[in-house]
Amino acid sequence: MRIPVAEAARRLEDRGLLKRERTDHSARIIEHVRKLLGRELPSDLIEFYRERIAQVGEFYAMTPGWNDHVGWRSPDSLVTELLHANAVPLFGDGCGSIYGLDLTPNVEIPAVYFFDHERGYEEAEWAAGSSLGAFLLVLGDSDRARDEEWPPRWELKIDPDIEKCPRAPALWLAG
């Protein structure tokens, strides 16, 4: 289910769940990531960087940081950590694992997957969102869902296509 990143960001911001970078370095970041990955970027990823998303709830975005005085503040590996698995990092889970956007060529709407640090980020473990916008909305509710003990598969109300992601199953199907 494609939910535009800008729409998801607006909805999360209205709920007080989204923080943005103060300064807009998105054009510089987009070009930097394009060079590091050696390919054109999916439109959702470009939109993600243009929205200057720094944090959703308690989850911090893994976006390259630029400083006008010293240049790039983040190592290139921040962007290339999942390149071997054909993905680009979006958010850390706070415990070392990464949510990454699929970079498989010719995928019209790339999904977001969870990559486990305990497995060396070898491959996508489970689908976290059928599109980047849908993923952002699921991520925004994930802490609340856990705290309030929402029923299993609550994510389907936000992202009904999450079980259709091609590279890995939804969490409840991952075993």
Side-chain angles (χ1 to χ4, degrees):
M1 174 175 187
R2 185 170 192 291
I3 297 171
V5 172
E7 178 186 330
R10 181 192 50 76
R11 288 166 55 184
L12 291 167
E13 193 168 41
D14 288 349
R15 293 174 53 203
L17 293 172
L18 183 132
K19 293 180 184 173
R20 297 178 191 273
E21 296 290 341
R22 285 183 289 163
T23 307
D24 184 1
H25 293 294
S26 59
R28 186 182 306 257
I29 290 169
I30 291 164
E31 185 57 31
H32 182 65
V33 172
R34 185 179 290 129
K35 285 180 184 175
L36 289 174
L37 298 179
R39 62 179 82 184
E40 290 304 311
L41 305 181
S43 60
D44 279 356
L45 185 59
I46 290 170
E47 192 175 350
F48 176 77
Y49 292 141
R50 286 186 178 147
E51 288 295 320
R52 302 182 351 260
I53 296 171
Q55 187 176 348
V56 172
E58 297 298 318
F59 298 90
Y60 291 89
M62 299 178 75
T63 305
W66 172 263
N67 180 294
D68 288 330
H69 302 290
V70 298
W72 292 107
R73 295 179 304 165
S74 52
D76 291 351
S77 62
L78 178 78
V79 173
T80 61
E81 184 78 38
L82 299 177
L83 194 52
H84 69 280
N86 224 10
V88 63
L90 296 171
F91 288 88
D93 74 342
C95 298
S97 296
I98 298 171
Y99 294 100
L101 183 70
D102 187 11
L103 292 177
T104 302
N106 303 318
V107 171
E108 186 176 332
I109 302 172
V112 176
Y113 296 97
F114 180 82
F115 293 84
D116 193 331
H117 75 283
E118 291 181 7
R119 297 181 193 250
Y121 312 116
E122 290 176 24
E123 60 186 6
E125 298 288 327
W126 46 270
S130 65
S131 70
L132 182 47
F135 163 74
L136 291 171
L137 295 176
V138 168
L139 188 66
D141 278 338
S142 62
D143 284 340
R144 183 173 164 210
R146 184 193 65 241
D147 293 345
E148 296 178 5
E149 298 179 7
W150 289 4
R153 301 180 187 194
W154 62 266
E155 299 92 339
L156 288 167
K157 289 188 180 194
I158 298 169
D159 186 1
D161 293 335
I162 197 168
E163 292 180 319
K164 299 175 185 172
C165 296
R167 289 183 59 183
L171 176 61
W172 50 89
L173 299 172

